[in-house]
Amino acid sequence: MAITKLKSWVNIPDNHDFSIYNLPFGVFTHQGKSKRVGVAIGDYVLDIYALHLAGILSSSASIELFNQPFLNGLMELGRNYAGDLRLNIQKLLLDGRTELQTRDDLSTFLIPAKECELHLPVQIGDYTDFYSSMEHATNVGMMFRDPANALLPNWKHLPVGYHGRSSSIIPSGQPIHRPKGQTKADDQTTPRFGPCRLLDFELETGFFVSGSNPLGKSISTQEADNFIWGMVLFNDWSARDIQKWEYVPLGPFLAKNFASSISPWVVLMDALEPFRVAGPVQDPKVLPYLEYAGDKNIDLNLEVTIKPANASETCVTRSNFKYMYWNMNQQLAHQTSNGCNVRTGDLYGSGTISGPTVGSYGSMLEITWSGKNPVKMQDGTERKFLNDGDTVVMRGWCEKDGIRVGFGELSTQILPSN
């Protein structure tokens, strides 16, 4: 899809994630005012509630929807409403606009982002995490099962997933404590309880649902486009040693639910449409309810860095969302195929995003091959997994024809166990 070249009167640095083509939504506070809806543009946050109060940005919705601690009320109006609102905001920010006498009329509603505090953007109801990267699933299968049969028999027939815990999903900037739990090493006869020793990140994206389906009615892959509102970066923290001991027979539990981190700005799907690409060929052919039409993957560059305490950050992986075997439409269709109902604010994690090479793997488990190949940091130390004091930073952006739409940073520091 071609992108029309646009120019804003707002001073936006080159290659900035929050360009005029993006305009992601989030929730912020500034100088003691209430939590409210904002839009990121360059190094500023545009106060949408104040714009409505001033009569500059008209809306068919209640003004109070923009003076809320979460985006849920706005999301409830659907993807099309949000898309139209984004376009109206874009028109106000374009160079050469004539609706207002001077740019000063609007610049008073731009707040330097460094003065704002960003919050969890959505009140998350239910949360599902998928396992949709063939490269990741293959790597894990090779490490812990039969290398010749790394994928389980069901993997290429359905998007494997599990229901996680939404209460421990936190915004960027909020630190986490190293979790404690039961672990059992191969040379031990009984388990021990204590701090996790194999703490890991998982490079993911997430999408939010707007709208709902009645209990008992599924959502097709075609209908899914109307429900997928926007995307965030997602770090689904994992305690590998706790996970290894507890996951049989029911799968992820305490090794996952201690924390998951998301980026604060929700990038609308309309902003990501120009970066659609075809996904991998799915072989064998999927069942009819998982068939889809069109390009459903997104050419989204991703990177993860680790910053030790008092040291520079080191990039440990660069990957891309386009590698995912199962796409978002298929994930939502499968989630609801049994009649499960979804609701506005539900979050769906992509699953760890790994590419075809070591440099594109999406977790330390894979990057170091379960600790066998440590990664050297710029300060000279090595990492098999994550240390206390480390800050994990995830970044993501789409870029095409000199146009950039990005997600900003998802940054989380690891503190010692409580």
Side-chain angles (χ1 to χ4, degrees):
M1 179 187 294
I3 308 176
T4 303
K5 290 297 179 72
L6 305 173
K7 181 175 175 57
S8 175
W9 54 264
V10 180
N11 182 24
I12 305 173
D14 293 339
N15 296 319
H16 201 291
D17 278 359
F18 305 136
S19 65
I20 187 66
Y21 304 93
N22 191 352
L23 305 179
F25 284 76
V27 172
F28 76 101
T29 48
H30 179 246
Q31 294 183 345
K33 295 180 181 178
S34 61
K35 289 183 181 179
R36 57 186 61 188
V37 176
V39 164
I41 176 73
D43 291 323
Y44 298 93
V45 175
L46 184 63
D47 189 335
I48 304 303
Y49 176 60
L51 273 181
H52 277 76
L53 281 180
I56 295 173
L57 186 63
S58 60
S59 170
S60 59
S62 167
I63 290 177
E64 285 306 309
L65 283 182
F66 304 95
N67 189 33
Q68 298 292 326
F70 297 106
L71 296 173
N72 295 58
L74 175 61
M75 295 168 66
E76 192 69 47
L77 299 178
R79 174 176 169 174
N80 289 339
Y81 178 87
D84 291 342
L85 179 62
R86 171 180 165 271
L87 289 178
N88 288 336
I89 294 170
Q90 190 178 67
K91 290 175 183 176
L92 291 175
L93 297 172
L94 285 175
D95 198 20
R97 55 172 304 281
T98 58
E99 289 87 347
L100 300 175
Q101 291 182 341
T102 67
R103 292 175 181 174
D104 291 340
D105 292 326
L106 199 59
S107 62
T108 56
F109 301 99
L110 289 172
I111 305 168
K114 63 184 179 182
E115 298 178 7
C116 298
E117 182 179 357
L118 302 178
H119 303 277
L120 191 73
V122 176
Q123 187 172 28
I124 301 167
D126 286 302
Y127 153 53
T128 296
D129 192 42
F130 286 97
Y131 190 51
S132 293
S133 162
M134 184 167 66
E135 289 82 2
H136 173 66
T138 300
N139 288 338
V140 172
M142 290 176 65
M143 275 186 268
F144 298 114
R145 289 189 295 274
D146 178 6
N149 296 284
L151 294 178
L152 291 170
N154 65 351
W155 199 90
K156 284 193 172 184
H157 294 277
L158 56 86
V160 175
Y162 72 95
H163 292 285
R165 186 166 182 84
S166 60
S167 65
S168 53
I169 297 175
I170 58 175
S172 176
Q174 181 173 332
I176 65 167
H177 287 275
R178 180 175 295 271
K180 292 179 287 188
Q182 278 197 30
T183 61
K184 181 183 174 298
D186 292 340
D187 59 355
Q188 292 177 323
T189 56
T190 58
R192 60 177 286 276
F193 182 86
C196 158
R197 289 170 292 184
L198 307 181
L199 184 59
D200 200 358
F201 66 79
E202 288 192 343
L203 172 60
E204 302 192 24
T205 63
F207 70 85
F208 285 109
V209 159
S210 67
S212 61
N213 59 311
L215 184 65
K217 186 180 186 306
S218 59
I219 296 172
S220 70
T221 57
Q222 181 178 359
E223 294 168 329
D225 283 326
N226 297 324
F227 288 85
I228 301 173
W229 196 78
M231 293 179 63
V232 290
L233 300 178
F234 189 62
N235 183 351
D236 189 30
W237 299 94
S238 295
R240 299 297 184 188
D241 45 353
I242 297 173
Q243 183 177 6
K244 181 181 179 181
W245 172 239
E246 75 172 5
Y247 84 99
V248 178
L250 294 181
F253 186 37
L254 301 182
K256 292 284 196 175
N257 68 5
F258 61 93
S260 298
S261 305
I262 67 170
S263 53
W265 294 108
V266 184
V267 178
L268 299 185
M269 297 311 300
D270 286 14
L272 296 169
E273 287 300 329
F275 306 98
R276 293 279 191 183
V277 293
V281 174
Q282 295 182 331
D283 182 26
K285 182 179 174 64
V286 299
L287 294 175
Y289 80 99
L290 290 172
E291 293 177 350
Y292 66 95
D295 294 339
K296 296 303 179 186
N297 282 39
I298 298 173
D299 186 2
L300 169 57
N301 301 290
L302 298 160
E303 73 171 24
V304 182
T305 67
I306 297 174
K307 184 182 183 304
N310 304 314
S312 300
E313 62 183 353
T314 300
C315 183
V316 295
T317 189
R318 290 188 173 92
S319 195
N320 197 300
F321 187 53
K322 68 183 180 183
Y323 297 129
M324 300 302 279
Y325 189 86
W326 297 104
N327 60 56
M328 293 181 287
N329 294 60
Q330 291 177 311
Q331 290 171 341
L332 191 56
H334 185 63
Q335 167 82 60
T336 63
S337 61
N338 66 345
C340 172
N341 56 326
V342 302
R343 296 171 293 188
T344 295
D346 286 356
L347 174 65
Y348 295 86
S350 63
T352 304
I353 301 167
S354 292
T357 62
V358 174
S360 60
Y361 292 167
S363 66
M364 292 297 284
L365 177 69
E366 299 165 88
I367 295 166
T368 69
W369 209 253
S370 198
K372 294 181 177 66
N373 305 308
V375 176
K376 181 165 285 190
M377 301 287 103
Q378 290 198 37
D379 65 356
T381 61
E382 290 185 337
R383 293 293 183 277
K384 296 180 179 180
F385 288 90
L386 299 170
N387 290 355
D388 292 345
D390 287 347
T391 297
V392 176
V393 181
M394 295 182 174
R395 300 180 179 95
W397 68 95
C398 301
E399 201 155 15
K400 179 181 178 181
D401 300 330
I403 292 166
R404 185 176 175 113
V405 170
F407 289 74
E409 288 187 356
L410 169 54
S411 177
T412 314
Q413 186 180 32
I414 301 164
L415 304 179
S417 294
N418 278 327

XYZ file of all heavy atoms in Angstrom, residues 172-175 201 235 237 304-314 316 377 383 386-395 409-415:
294
model
N 5.407 0.119 30.775
C 6.832 0.406 30.649
C 7.268 1.331 31.780
O 6.544 2.237 32.189
C 7.097 1.073 29.301
O 8.447 1.443 29.168
N 8.471 1.085 32.295
C 9.012 1.920 33.354
C 8.795 1.371 34.742
O 9.501 1.766 35.679
N 7.828 0.473 34.912
C 7.592 -0.114 36.232
C 8.511 -1.316 36.404
O 8.453 -2.267 35.629
C 6.138 -0.538 36.386
C 5.822 -1.132 37.762
C 4.346 -1.404 37.967
O 3.496 -0.734 37.380
N 4.021 -2.379 38.789
N 9.382 -1.309 37.411
C 10.315 -2.436 37.596
C 9.597 -3.686 38.074
O 8.467 -3.623 38.569
C 11.295 -1.921 38.653
C 10.512 -0.905 39.420
C 9.571 -0.269 38.431
N 13.419 -12.779 29.176
C 12.399 -11.980 28.493
C 11.817 -12.798 27.351
O 12.408 -13.791 26.909
C 12.982 -10.664 27.967
C 14.014 -10.827 26.865
C 13.641 -11.080 25.552
C 15.372 -10.731 27.157
C 14.586 -11.240 24.539
C 16.332 -10.885 26.153
C 15.931 -11.146 24.848
N 6.367 -7.710 26.601
C 7.432 -8.547 27.165
C 6.796 -9.502 28.156
O 6.419 -9.108 29.255
C 8.492 -7.683 27.856
C 9.662 -8.504 28.392
O 9.615 -9.736 28.400
N 10.697 -7.836 28.862
N 7.541 -11.878 30.545
C 8.638 -12.389 31.358
C 8.449 -13.870 31.692
O 7.336 -14.316 31.925
C 8.743 -11.589 32.653
C 9.028 -10.138 32.446
C 8.109 -9.127 32.364
C 10.304 -9.534 32.290
N 8.749 -7.924 32.168
C 10.096 -8.141 32.119
C 11.612 -10.017 32.282
C 11.143 -7.249 31.952
C 12.665 -9.133 32.111
C 12.422 -7.764 31.942
N 15.883 -5.943 20.933
C 15.952 -6.007 22.389
C 17.379 -5.686 22.816
O 18.341 -6.223 22.255
C 15.568 -7.402 22.920
C 15.612 -7.412 24.450
C 14.191 -7.812 22.433
N 17.496 -4.811 23.810
C 18.803 -4.533 24.397
C 18.752 -4.836 25.893
O 17.686 -4.801 26.515
C 19.233 -3.065 24.199
O 18.356 -2.205 24.951
C 19.192 -2.677 22.738
N 19.923 -5.137 26.451
C 20.070 -5.320 27.892
C 21.037 -4.265 28.398
O 22.151 -4.126 27.867
C 20.598 -6.723 28.231
C 19.602 -7.797 27.771
C 20.854 -6.854 29.731
C 20.118 -9.216 27.938
N 20.600 -3.523 29.406
C 21.441 -2.488 30.004
C 21.752 -2.876 31.447
O 20.898 -2.760 32.318
C 20.743 -1.126 29.965
C 21.582 0.024 30.486
C 20.819 1.326 30.472
C 21.711 2.472 30.943
N 22.301 2.249 32.284
N 22.956 -3.359 31.718
C 23.320 -3.644 33.101
C 23.332 -2.363 33.928
O 23.423 -1.256 33.381
C 24.734 -4.235 32.977
C 24.858 -4.663 31.548
C 24.024 -3.698 30.775
N 23.226 -2.490 35.234
C 23.283 -1.316 36.104
C 24.591 -0.568 35.880
O 25.667 -1.166 35.835
C 23.159 -1.755 37.559
N 24.487 0.753 35.693
C 25.660 1.623 35.535
C 26.527 1.247 34.340
O 27.758 1.361 34.382
C 26.510 1.608 36.812
C 25.724 2.007 38.044
O 24.978 2.994 38.020
N 25.849 1.233 39.119
N 25.881 0.763 33.266
C 26.635 0.398 32.062
C 25.803 0.701 30.822
O 24.603 0.962 30.908
C 27.026 -1.081 32.099
N 26.455 0.686 29.674
C 25.772 0.920 28.407
C 24.961 -0.305 28.011
O 25.259 -1.429 28.429
C 26.789 1.246 27.307
O 27.537 2.400 27.628
N 23.950 -0.092 27.167
C 23.120 -1.195 26.725
C 23.784 -1.957 25.583
O 24.572 -1.399 24.821
C 21.730 -0.705 26.303
C 21.717 0.259 25.146
C 20.305 0.752 24.820
O 19.339 0.248 25.395
O 20.192 1.649 23.973
N 23.444 -3.233 25.479
C 23.946 -4.104 24.427
C 22.763 -4.714 23.697
O 21.866 -5.287 24.331
C 24.814 -5.240 25.020
O 25.931 -4.674 25.710
C 25.310 -6.175 23.925
N 20.911 -7.518 21.925
C 21.065 -8.976 21.947
C 20.266 -9.661 20.847
O 20.493 -10.844 20.570
C 20.684 -9.569 23.317
C 21.654 -9.074 24.387
C 19.246 -9.231 23.700
N 28.324 -8.592 27.204
C 27.841 -7.217 27.292
C 28.984 -6.243 26.989
O 30.167 -6.599 27.042
C 27.298 -6.938 28.693
C 26.147 -7.829 29.144
S 24.577 -7.440 28.332
C 24.494 -8.795 27.137
N 26.076 -12.783 29.864
C 24.736 -13.147 30.279
C 24.338 -14.482 29.646
O 24.401 -14.641 28.419
C 23.703 -12.094 29.840
C 23.819 -10.743 30.505
C 23.496 -10.809 31.982
N 23.557 -9.472 32.571
C 24.686 -8.886 32.970
N 25.841 -9.528 32.835
N 24.661 -7.686 33.505
N 19.114 -13.349 32.705
C 19.119 -11.956 33.141
C 19.548 -11.824 34.599
O 19.184 -12.653 35.442
C 17.733 -11.348 32.947
C 17.236 -11.338 31.494
C 15.761 -10.957 31.431
C 18.074 -10.388 30.639
N 20.297 -10.763 34.887
C 20.780 -10.483 36.236
C 19.926 -9.420 36.915
O 19.303 -8.573 36.246
C 22.226 -9.985 36.202
C 23.221 -11.064 35.828
O 22.861 -12.227 35.676
N 24.473 -10.684 35.685
N 19.927 -9.404 38.230
C 19.337 -8.293 38.962
C 20.055 -7.000 38.562
O 21.282 -6.985 38.372
C 19.488 -8.494 40.470
C 18.654 -9.656 40.998
O 17.751 -10.117 40.254
O 18.906 -10.101 42.137
N 19.296 -5.935 38.435
C 19.863 -4.658 38.008
C 19.801 -4.435 36.516
O 19.905 -3.288 36.055
N 19.655 -5.508 35.738
C 19.528 -5.356 34.283
C 18.227 -4.648 33.927
O 17.190 -4.872 34.560
C 19.538 -6.722 33.588
C 20.915 -7.381 33.572
O 21.904 -6.690 33.883
O 20.989 -8.578 33.246
N 18.295 -3.813 32.905
C 17.095 -3.225 32.310
C 16.954 -3.768 30.892
O 17.882 -3.669 30.088
C 17.189 -1.689 32.265
O 17.252 -1.186 33.606
C 15.968 -1.093 31.569
N 15.810 -4.372 30.617
C 15.531 -4.896 29.282
C 14.712 -3.859 28.523
O 13.663 -3.401 29.012
C 14.773 -6.234 29.354
C 14.399 -6.717 27.953
C 15.621 -7.278 30.062
N 15.192 -3.477 27.351
C 14.525 -2.456 26.534
C 14.135 -3.071 25.197
O 14.987 -3.627 24.493
C 15.431 -1.226 26.298
C 14.684 -0.175 25.474
C 15.900 -0.637 27.619
N 12.852 -2.977 24.869
C 12.352 -3.441 23.575
C 11.929 -2.243 22.739
O 11.345 -1.289 23.265
C 11.176 -4.394 23.758
C 11.541 -5.674 24.458
S 10.142 -6.827 24.603
C 10.993 -8.255 25.299
N 12.216 -2.305 21.435
C 11.820 -1.256 20.507
C 11.213 -1.905 19.271
O 11.602 -3.019 18.895
C 13.016 -0.392 20.114
C 13.687 0.316 21.291
C 14.876 1.162 20.839
N 15.499 1.851 21.962
C 16.539 1.413 22.647
N 17.081 0.243 22.312
N 17.044 2.098 23.644
N 9.558 2.913 23.282
C 10.311 1.936 24.060
C 9.434 1.242 25.092
O 8.517 1.833 25.653
C 11.463 2.612 24.797
C 12.611 3.054 23.927
C 13.790 3.565 24.732
O 13.686 3.657 25.976
O 14.835 3.861 24.105
N 9.776 -0.010 25.327
C 9.248 -0.771 26.460
C 10.451 -1.118 27.327
O 11.295 -1.919 26.940
C 8.536 -2.031 25.974
C 8.154 -3.071 27.038
C 7.332 -2.452 28.156
C 7.411 -4.232 26.399
N 10.535 -0.467 28.494
C 11.728 -0.577 29.331
C 11.340 -1.049 30.725
O 10.436 -0.485 31.356
C 12.429 0.784 29.409
O 13.540 0.744 30.264
N 12.048 -2.079 31.223
C 11.754 -2.645 32.542
C 13.040 -3.071 33.224
O 13.841 -3.807 32.643
C 10.830 -3.871 32.421
O 9.754 -3.583 31.528
C 10.276 -4.263 33.781
N 13.224 -2.627 34.474
C 14.395 -3.038 35.250
C 14.038 -4.194 36.166
O 12.919 -4.286 36.670
C 14.932 -1.874 36.073
C 16.244 -2.222 36.784
C 16.801 -1.078 37.608
O 16.061 -0.265 38.145
N 18.123 -1.017 37.722
N 15.028 -5.076 36.372
C 14.845 -6.238 37.243
C 15.440 -5.928 38.617
O 16.619 -5.578 38.727
C 15.526 -7.474 36.641
C 14.942 -7.786 35.263
C 15.392 -8.669 37.571
C 15.802 -8.737 34.449
N 14.614 -6.046 39.648
C 15.049 -5.858 41.027
C 15.190 -7.211 41.708
O 14.617 -8.195 41.272
C 14.038 -5.001 41.782
C 13.715 -3.620 41.186
C 12.676 -2.922 42.038
C 14.982 -2.777 41.062
